[in-house]
Amino acid sequence: MTHRIPAVRILATGGTIAGAAPSPSDTSGYRAGALPVAALLAALPPQDDVRLDARQLASLDSKDALPEFWQMLARELAQAQADPDVDGVVLTHGTDTLEETAWFLHLTLALAKPLVLTGAMRPATAASADGPMNLLQAVQVAACPQAARHGVLAVLNGQIHHARHLRKAHTHRVDAFDSGEAGPAGFIQDGYVGWFWPPRPCAPRFAPDTPLAPVDILFDYPGISVSMVDAVLRGGTRGLVWAGYGNGSISGRIEPLLREAGRQSLAIVRATRGGAGRVGLPGTCGFIQAAGLDPYKARIALMLALGAGTPPGALQTLFDTLSYE
Ligand code: ASP
């Protein structure tokens, strides 16, 4: 019986992993997305146990990614998932909004094969660039069939993260990503893939072409401007994620505005600016609780839920389920 070598497709979108700076000592003054995917491939050691093919989807600094970009990726990735010549997919991406893209894809894609996002904190031209090892390890995880049973994953700095928990938590270190209190999903070392978590249910909650409703995020702080909040509420948004204090508390000067907006059929989700922990206040008086989702993930869930026409009465259950699935 012949053993088929796994085929991994690399889809490139730009970011620092494809960044170029004038000098190898420069890790900040570079242009993201400057190099083509062929240059990323050329930096990998020869691969005997995986077949690679690569395509350039975009050359973006991910700070400029828009929701339409997520939808374009979902279409491309659905095609790659359906391609019989592909066993796993790696998506290279800027690190600034990698967590948003990973979460959107997790919520919208049916995964039959591994999907692994990766990026880099140092440009490709840097001495000791982290991109080549991140890409190599992402390919190794994407070639591992069990990875498909963990939902959308990110591989950075030798760690494997679930899209559900992934967050960028540092401005410049190569270990910039973590999974908060949940901890990483696993690790990769010298090609060995180890899991800390068992496989998890990963049925998509929404169709990839679900329209995305406009939703804003506002953070609370002492002295927050009432007129600024009012302007956002009247600015055409269909929902608001309120990143409140601690357990989702809202400044007393603002709370009546949010209650009124909720009565006027805006979906108001109460999250925390605190960085960790569940938001779940008793007696919530019309607010939806983000439960375990941070404000950025809560926003994307709400954009999809409102775009899909989820009834208001079903939103809390959705947030509770997404938090702890
Ligand atoms: N601004 C870059 C980006 O997100 C940062 C990076 O990739 O590390 O595309």
XYZ file of all heavy atoms in Angstrom, residues 4-13 36-42 44 47 49-57 76-77 79-81 83-92 113-114 116 135 138-139 142-143:
378
model
N 0.291 8.144 1.145
C 0.242 9.445 0.472
C 0.847 10.518 1.375
O 0.487 10.627 2.557
C -1.226 9.757 0.152
C -1.444 11.001 -0.640
C -2.888 11.032 -1.123
N -3.203 12.349 -1.660
C -3.712 13.333 -0.928
N -3.958 13.140 0.332
N -3.961 14.502 -1.492
N 1.747 11.315 0.810
C 2.333 12.415 1.573
C 1.287 13.505 1.705
O 0.657 13.883 0.716
C 3.582 12.961 0.835
C 4.649 11.875 0.793
C 4.129 14.207 1.504
C 5.876 12.263 0.008
N 1.056 14.044 2.922
C 0.027 15.075 3.054
C 0.341 16.327 2.249
O 1.504 16.713 2.116
C -0.004 15.385 4.553
C 1.116 14.655 5.170
C 1.691 13.683 4.188
N -0.715 16.910 1.715
C -0.567 18.129 0.909
C -1.115 19.306 1.709
O -2.268 19.281 2.145
C -1.338 17.974 -0.397
N -0.297 20.305 1.910
C -0.722 21.487 2.661
C -0.677 22.700 1.732
O 0.314 22.932 1.040
C 0.173 21.717 3.899
C -0.139 23.058 4.558
C -0.011 20.577 4.902
N -1.780 23.414 1.727
C -1.857 24.646 0.925
C -1.611 25.855 1.834
O -2.224 25.975 2.896
C -3.224 24.771 0.262
C -3.382 26.075 -0.504
C -4.509 25.996 -1.480
N -4.248 24.986 -2.494
C -5.180 24.491 -3.319
N -6.434 24.916 -3.218
N -4.866 23.593 -4.217
N -0.690 26.716 1.387
C -0.430 27.959 2.131
C -1.129 29.097 1.404
O -0.895 29.323 0.206
C 1.089 28.240 2.219
C 1.782 27.092 2.961
C 1.353 29.577 2.916
C 3.291 27.179 2.971
N -2.009 29.781 2.122
C -2.698 30.944 1.565
C -2.146 32.181 2.287
O -2.216 32.270 3.515
C -4.203 30.818 1.759
C -4.841 29.613 1.050
C -6.316 29.490 1.412
C -4.684 29.737 -0.465
N -1.569 33.098 1.523
C -0.866 34.234 2.133
C -1.696 35.502 2.020
O -2.334 35.754 0.994
C 0.482 34.427 1.448
N -1.674 36.290 3.111
C -2.441 37.537 3.088
C -1.611 38.757 3.476
O -2.155 39.843 3.618
C -3.663 37.465 4.032
O -3.207 37.449 5.388
C -4.528 36.249 3.755
N 6.294 38.509 -1.429
C 5.325 37.518 -1.923
C 5.470 36.192 -1.184
O 6.498 35.923 -0.554
C 5.725 37.360 -3.395
C 7.165 37.688 -3.426
C 7.415 38.711 -2.340
N 4.461 35.356 -1.315
C 4.466 34.073 -0.611
C 5.659 33.216 -1.046
O 6.181 32.420 -0.241
C 3.117 33.338 -0.791
C 2.871 32.912 -2.225
C 3.013 32.157 0.161
N 6.142 33.396 -2.292
C 7.312 32.623 -2.746
C 8.511 32.888 -1.837
O 9.315 31.982 -1.564
C 7.642 32.982 -4.192
N 8.643 34.109 -1.345
C 9.768 34.435 -0.458
C 9.609 33.728 0.892
O 10.605 33.312 1.502
C 9.849 35.947 -0.257
N 8.360 33.579 1.353
C 8.151 32.868 2.625
C 8.501 31.386 2.467
O 9.127 30.774 3.336
C 6.702 32.998 3.101
C 6.084 34.387 3.183
C 4.759 34.333 3.950
C 7.012 35.380 3.843
N 8.116 30.831 1.328
C 8.422 29.419 1.057
C 9.920 29.190 0.946
O 10.456 28.185 1.418
C 7.762 28.978 -0.249
C 6.286 28.626 -0.187
C 5.786 28.212 -1.564
C 6.063 27.500 0.805
N 10.606 30.160 0.312
C 12.053 30.014 0.097
C 12.808 29.992 1.423
O 13.933 29.478 1.491
C 12.559 31.157 -0.785
N 11.881 28.320 4.029
C 11.657 27.053 4.729
C 12.721 26.034 4.337
O 13.184 26.035 3.189
C 10.280 26.468 4.366
C 9.053 27.253 4.803
C 7.784 26.495 4.392
C 9.074 27.485 6.309
N 11.200 20.197 2.303
C 10.181 19.370 2.963
C 10.051 18.027 2.252
O 9.675 17.977 1.100
C 8.824 20.090 2.917
C 8.794 21.426 3.619
C 9.092 21.281 5.095
O 8.399 20.563 5.814
N 10.145 21.945 5.561
N 8.338 15.305 3.818
C 7.148 14.576 4.243
C 5.860 15.392 4.141
O 4.843 15.038 4.735
C 7.328 14.001 5.654
C 8.026 14.985 6.559
O 8.103 16.173 6.162
O 8.483 14.576 7.634
N 5.930 16.476 3.381
C 4.708 17.228 3.115
C 4.870 17.883 1.736
O 5.958 18.286 1.351
C 4.452 18.270 4.232
C 5.548 19.297 4.313
C 3.114 18.949 4.083
N 3.760 17.897 0.974
C 3.774 18.606 -0.321
C 3.151 19.964 -0.105
O 2.070 20.066 0.493
C 2.962 17.825 -1.368
C 3.653 16.583 -1.881
C 2.803 15.861 -2.906
N 1.572 15.330 -2.324
C 0.362 15.477 -2.831
N 0.191 16.154 -3.963
N -0.708 14.961 -2.246
N 3.813 21.006 -0.589
C 3.316 22.360 -0.377
C 2.898 22.997 -1.684
O 3.562 22.816 -2.713
C 4.414 23.234 0.251
C 4.859 22.868 1.665
C 5.976 23.792 2.121
C 3.681 22.929 2.629
N 1.786 23.715 -1.659
C 1.519 24.660 -2.735
C 1.058 25.961 -2.092
O 0.598 25.962 -0.942
C 0.536 24.120 -3.783
C -0.896 24.210 -3.333
O -1.239 23.490 -2.393
O -1.663 25.008 -3.903
N 1.238 27.060 -2.794
C 1.014 28.352 -2.158
C 0.297 29.299 -3.090
O 0.506 29.274 -4.305
C 2.348 28.940 -1.730
N -0.555 30.133 -2.486
C -1.284 31.151 -3.260
C -1.299 32.456 -2.472
O -1.380 32.442 -1.238
C -2.724 30.723 -3.505
C -2.755 29.438 -4.292
C -4.118 28.987 -4.633
N -3.955 27.693 -5.297
C -4.931 26.959 -5.755
N -6.167 27.385 -5.633
N -4.699 25.807 -6.345
N -1.258 33.533 -3.223
C -1.306 34.854 -2.597
C -2.743 35.360 -2.664
O -3.274 35.581 -3.754
C -0.380 35.795 -3.382
C -0.132 37.123 -2.727
C 0.978 37.048 -1.679
O 1.999 36.412 -1.903
N 0.767 37.684 -0.544
N -3.379 35.557 -1.529
C -4.752 36.085 -1.543
C -4.785 37.589 -1.362
O -5.728 38.259 -1.786
C -5.581 35.448 -0.418
C -5.797 33.945 -0.475
C -6.705 33.515 0.663
C -6.393 33.533 -1.809
N -12.581 31.547 0.104
C -11.369 30.862 -0.379
C -11.104 29.598 0.442
O -10.724 28.562 -0.100
C -10.151 31.789 -0.274
C -10.202 33.000 -1.183
C -9.945 32.643 -2.647
O -9.428 31.533 -2.910
O -10.284 33.470 -3.515
N -11.302 29.716 1.746
C -10.980 28.584 2.609
C -11.999 27.465 2.452
O -11.641 26.284 2.537
C -10.887 29.053 4.065
C -9.625 29.896 4.304
C -9.737 30.714 5.572
C -8.391 29.000 4.364
N -13.371 26.715 -0.339
C -12.913 26.034 -1.575
C -11.743 25.109 -1.283
O -11.694 23.973 -1.754
C -12.454 27.072 -2.594
C -13.563 27.595 -3.463
C -13.033 28.652 -4.422
O -11.858 28.665 -4.770
N -13.906 29.554 -4.831
N -10.782 25.607 -0.505
C -9.607 24.779 -0.195
C -10.031 23.546 0.602
O -9.504 22.440 0.391
C -8.582 25.596 0.589
N -11.008 23.725 1.515
C -11.504 22.579 2.292
C -12.116 21.518 1.380
O -12.029 20.335 1.646
C -12.560 23.051 3.302
C -12.012 23.831 4.475
C -11.397 22.926 5.536
O -11.929 21.856 5.825
N -10.275 23.334 6.091
N -11.276 20.943 -1.755
C -10.336 20.482 -2.793
C -9.745 19.123 -2.395
O -9.059 19.023 -1.369
C -9.229 21.538 -2.943
C -8.330 21.257 -4.121
O -8.188 20.068 -4.500
O -7.756 22.212 -4.660
N -9.965 18.075 -3.201
C -9.453 16.746 -2.816
C -7.923 16.689 -2.796
O -7.340 15.767 -2.207
C -10.023 15.812 -3.893
C -10.447 16.696 -5.020
C -10.729 18.054 -4.453
N -7.253 17.657 -3.421
C -5.784 17.661 -3.422
C -5.199 18.364 -2.202
O -3.981 18.549 -2.119
C -5.255 18.364 -4.681
C -5.579 17.554 -5.921
O -5.666 16.312 -5.800
O -5.766 18.156 -6.991
N -6.048 18.800 -1.286
C -5.558 19.531 -0.110
C -5.904 18.743 1.154
O -7.051 18.347 1.348
C -6.213 20.937 -0.047
C -5.830 21.657 1.237
C -5.819 21.757 -1.267
N -4.895 18.525 2.014
C -5.152 17.835 3.291
C -5.193 18.791 4.473
O -5.707 18.449 5.541
C -4.059 16.785 3.541
C -4.072 15.719 2.477
O -5.145 15.147 2.224
O -3.011 15.479 1.858
N -4.619 19.955 4.305
C -4.621 20.936 5.395
C -4.266 22.297 4.822
O -3.662 22.389 3.752
N -4.652 23.352 5.540
C -4.433 24.710 5.025
C -3.749 25.555 6.095
O -4.113 25.487 7.280
C -5.777 25.381 4.625
C -5.536 26.785 4.090
C -6.513 24.544 3.599
N -2.779 26.361 5.654
C -2.153 27.372 6.513
C -2.497 28.738 5.930
O -2.339 28.964 4.729
C -0.625 27.188 6.565
C 0.032 28.369 7.277
C -0.281 25.882 7.276
N -2.955 29.616 6.797
C -3.256 30.985 6.379
C -2.234 31.895 7.052
O -2.187 31.958 8.286
C -4.673 31.343 6.830
C -5.208 32.701 6.386
C -5.477 32.718 4.884
C -6.502 33.024 7.139
N -1.399 32.580 6.260
C -0.470 33.542 6.870
C -1.172 34.890 6.949
O -1.892 35.301 6.030
C 0.850 33.651 6.080
O 0.603 34.187 4.784
C 1.531 32.296 5.942
N -10.782 19.509 7.313
C -9.309 19.415 7.294
C -8.747 20.521 8.186
O -9.408 21.541 8.384
C -8.800 19.643 5.870
C -9.373 18.664 4.881
C -9.174 19.146 3.473
C -9.907 18.186 2.530
N -9.901 18.674 1.149
N -7.528 20.348 8.691
C -6.977 21.378 9.574
C -6.872 22.739 8.883
O -6.543 22.831 7.696
C -5.578 20.846 9.914
C -5.675 19.372 9.719
C -6.643 19.166 8.585
N -4.953 26.319 9.957
C -4.015 26.879 10.926
C -3.582 28.269 10.477
O -3.070 28.440 9.368
C -2.763 25.967 11.047
C -1.788 26.544 12.067
C -3.162 24.549 11.424
N 5.957 29.477 10.334
C 5.336 28.898 9.137
C 5.590 27.395 9.073
O 4.673 26.601 8.801
C 5.866 29.608 7.880
C 5.290 29.122 6.555
C 3.767 29.211 6.529
C 5.879 29.924 5.384
N 3.421 25.732 11.604
C 2.011 25.772 11.185
C 1.749 24.700 10.132
O 0.711 24.019 10.155
C 1.663 27.157 10.647
N 2.694 24.528 9.206
C 2.560 23.483 8.170
C 2.522 22.103 8.834
O 1.704 21.243 8.484
C 3.728 23.586 7.154
C 3.828 22.323 6.310
C 3.560 24.827 6.269
N -0.818 21.635 10.360
C -1.846 21.494 9.321
C -1.778 20.118 8.648
O -2.775 19.641 8.096
C -1.710 22.607 8.283
N -0.604 19.489 8.700
C -0.465 18.152 8.099
C -0.917 17.050 9.051
O -0.893 15.868 8.697
C 0.997 17.924 7.702
